[in-house]
Amino acid sequence: MSISNVELHNLPLDLSAPPPDARGWLAFQPSTEKAWRKVDGKWLPIAEANALIEARKSK
């Protein structure tokens, strides 16, 4: 699937995560209620990404 066909607000079920080269910083898969956030160029599950960002803020 090309990145031009991927809607980050509505990821299809056949994707387990957003494509690495997808533009944007938030992605959501409504059917599974999964969300991802891009941190340092990598897509992470939203809870993991938020925890990483909070840990960086407290340094």
Side-chain angles (χ1 to χ4, degrees):
M1 177 173 282
S2 79
I3 63 170
S4 61
N5 294 337
V6 174
E7 296 176 352
L8 292 178
H9 66 279
N10 189 18
L11 290 177
L13 278 174
D14 60 337
L15 293 179
S16 59
D21 56 349
R23 293 182 181 180
W25 60 280
L26 286 176
F28 183 62
Q29 192 172 48
S31 55
T32 61
E33 298 185 2
K34 290 182 180 179
W36 296 266
R37 185 172 181 176
K38 193 180 263 189
V39 178
D40 297 333
K42 297 180 185 174
W43 288 104
L44 301 173
I46 194 79
E48 183 181 337
N50 289 343
L52 179 64
I53 290 168
E54 285 301 315
R56 289 179 180 176
K57 285 182 184 177
S58 63
K59 286 185 176 184

